[in-house]
Amino acid sequence: MKAIEILKTDGRARRGTLLTGHGHIDTPVFMPVGTQGTVKAMTHKELWEMGVRMTLANAYHLYLRPGDEMIRRMGGIHEFSGWDGAMLTDSGGFQIFSLGVLREIKEEGVLFQSHIDGSRHFLTPEKMVKVQENIGADIAMCLDECVSYPSSYEYTSRSVDLTTDWARRCRAARSEEGSQKLFGIIQGGFYEDLRVKSAHELISMDFDGYAVGGLSVGEPKGLMWDMVDTVIDLLPPEKPRYMMGVGMPEDLLEGVKRGIDMFDCIIPTRLARNGTFFTPAGKMNIRNARFAEDKRPVVEGCSCYACRTYSRAYLRHLLMAHELTSFYLNTIHNVYFYMEFMGNLRRAIEAGTYDEFYRVFKRQYEGGEYDD
């Protein structure tokens, strides 16, 4: 079954519908990150009311705790967590990469030490496919190796070969039963020829969709977009395109302009817990003393619960007093902002006015008063 229907294009920007076992998802879509099967400080009810229809969980973390076999016995991640929307699981390549000296990469798979209890595990591509099938997400990702920036050409080339081999093994190991889709992950570091090679090799395997991985690992933004531009026109137009781990508003704007359909990032929820709000005029750090007696909402006219109900001064007080309610209210605003932003992007594509929206938003956001 096909994974996406493209309904409208405006330049390279695509407005479509992602077809999943838990509903049709409007694209371009931003998936809030729920690493452990939950978006931090939020309930599923609130996510749904704000328009969230798809989240991301991490198979690496769920494998370690509570265990993929346990989740299978509980009926899969949707029944276990009570989430009625769609879900994608990242295979954990980036998390394993982040373990550094606690992991050893072999041709057969990855040997690593748990960050939770120090136990040792060996994960193969076949094992990660099985783990994600046990979890029961709508979209699973191939196991890949994410290289750091900078990395030598020789190392990156070997890494691409390894990622391609692992992708082939994932493809062979997947079950033909059920509706779960499997995406390949294009790697290649920051070498154009290796990115092209990786894209061609994965496309030949006919995955359900394709992700551009290994970005936002410390490289300059311009170099990141060069790598997206290198591969985006190679990707089959009838397949979903996913940019992994990238999610500042300005990045979503640029990615959609280039034809990306799917995004995820911890940024809106993590920054919320640190007291940073997203607004049309840039990021607002509520810790700033100038908000201590500010009676206005975070964003005038915003319909989220936090803005409808509380002042900047009160939200600042909650954060400075280390009240847990602060995490909750700040996250409500940031997730709501992202959902409204993505809706505006989709409407601009439908209207054929994406370039105008791009210019206006960028001018307002980058020239705003708060981003300090």
Side-chain angles (χ1 to χ4, degrees):
M1 185 179 77
K2 67 188 300 186
I4 196 169
E5 291 181 354
I6 302 301
L7 307 175
K8 181 73 186 294
T9 59
D10 185 6
R12 286 181 171 178
R14 294 147 50 102
R15 168 73 175 91
T17 302
L18 187 66
L19 310 175
T20 80
H22 285 84
H24 293 181
I25 312 300
D26 291 330
T27 62
V29 61
F30 177 82
M31 298 174 284
V33 173
T35 299
Q36 307 282 359
T38 181
V39 176
K40 283 183 172 59
M42 298 292 289
T43 68
H44 296 334
K45 178 177 180 289
E46 287 150 342
L47 291 171
W48 192 267
E49 289 175 350
M50 286 190 285
V52 176
R53 296 294 181 266
M54 187 171 191
T55 60
L56 177 144
N58 190 272
Y60 161 82
H61 286 281
L62 293 176
Y63 160 77
L64 290 176
R65 183 177 55 194
D68 58 293
E69 289 287 352
M70 181 272 209
I71 293 173
R72 180 187 60 78
R73 292 193 298 272
M74 294 295 293
I77 190 65
H78 293 87
E79 186 171 340
F80 178 52
S81 70
W83 173 240
D84 293 328
M87 187 180 290
L88 178 149
T89 43
D90 182 0
S91 67
F94 180 78
Q95 285 69 34
I96 293 170
F97 151 78
S98 302
L99 291 172
V101 296
L102 298 179
R103 55 100 170 112
E104 181 181 356
I105 297 173
K106 303 171 176 287
E107 287 187 15
E108 297 81 7
V110 182
L111 178 66
F112 69 94
Q113 189 174 339
S114 168
H115 68 284
I116 297 171
D117 60 9
S119 58
R120 295 178 69 80
H121 301 263
F122 187 65
L123 288 180
T124 65
E126 294 82 2
K127 174 68 173 178
M128 283 313 298
V129 167
K130 182 61 176 176
V131 165
Q132 292 179 89
E133 289 179 350
N134 284 341
I135 292 170
D138 299 274
I139 297 175
M141 305 301 297
C142 288
L143 183 65
D144 65 322
E145 183 189 8
C146 180
V147 299
S148 60
Y149 174 82
S151 289
S152 70
Y153 185 90
E154 292 72 23
Y155 183 88
T156 308
S157 180
R158 291 195 300 270
S159 176
V160 167
D161 291 339
L162 185 65
T163 292
T164 297
D165 180 57
W166 284 358
R168 186 176 295 110
R169 290 165 57 188
C170 286
R171 184 77 173 80
R174 72 179 298 191
S175 171
E176 296 303 323
E177 300 177 3
S179 61
Q180 187 177 77
K181 295 176 173 62
L182 182 65
F183 283 20
I185 305 176
I186 297 167
Q187 290 290 352
F190 298 91
Y191 301 97
E192 290 187 3
D193 61 323
L194 296 180
R195 284 281 174 179
V196 170
K197 175 185 177 183
S198 180
H200 281 309
E201 290 173 344
L202 293 180
I203 291 167
S204 71
M205 299 179 208
D206 193 30
F207 285 100
D208 296 309
Y210 297 93
V212 184
L215 299 178
S216 197
V217 290
E219 77 282 1
K221 279 285 180 74
L223 187 54
M224 177 178 80
W225 294 119
D226 286 345
M227 294 303 100
V228 175
D229 290 336
T230 295
V231 301
I232 194 69
D233 288 334
L234 303 177
L235 302 181
E238 73 279 6
K239 300 290 181 78
R241 302 163 175 179
Y242 170 27
M243 192 169 178
M244 303 181 73
V246 175
M248 294 293 285
E250 61 269 29
D251 296 332
L252 304 181
L253 195 70
E254 293 288 350
V256 169
K257 185 179 179 68
R258 287 164 164 81
I260 300 293
D261 304 305
M262 303 166 62
F263 303 86
D264 81 276
C265 194
I266 61 172
I267 285 291
T269 51
R270 174 174 286 181
L271 291 193
R273 299 192 300 277
N274 292 329
T276 297
F277 291 100
F278 286 93
T279 85
K283 297 193 297 295
M284 174 193 292
N285 185 349
I286 202 69
R287 294 177 181 273
N288 197 306
R290 62 179 162 144
F291 301 124
E293 298 185 27
D294 194 330
K295 295 182 178 181
R296 293 173 295 172
V298 170
V299 176
E300 300 278 1
C302 175
S303 297
C304 83
Y305 173 68
C307 286
R308 292 197 323 267
T309 313
Y310 301 106
S311 67
R312 297 174 181 180
Y314 183 65
L315 293 172
R316 180 180 186 276
H317 160 67
L318 292 179
L319 181 76
M320 302 305 286
H322 307 292
E323 286 290 340
L324 296 181
T325 311
S326 174
F327 291 178
Y328 167 72
L329 294 173
N330 297 359
T331 304
I332 281 178
H333 172 80
N334 279 358
V335 173
Y336 184 89
F337 175 88
Y338 267 63
M339 292 304 105
E340 289 292 295
F341 179 58
M342 297 308 294
N344 289 335
L345 293 181
R346 292 191 293 267
R347 286 186 284 273
I349 297 170
E350 291 169 358
T353 58
Y354 190 81
D355 283 347
E356 179 184 354
F357 179 88
Y358 175 95
R359 289 193 298 270
V360 171
F361 179 85
K362 201 167 185 183
R363 182 171 63 247
Q364 184 179 4
Y365 189 80
E366 293 180 352
E369 60 176 306
Y370 301 123
D371 202 357
D372 53 7

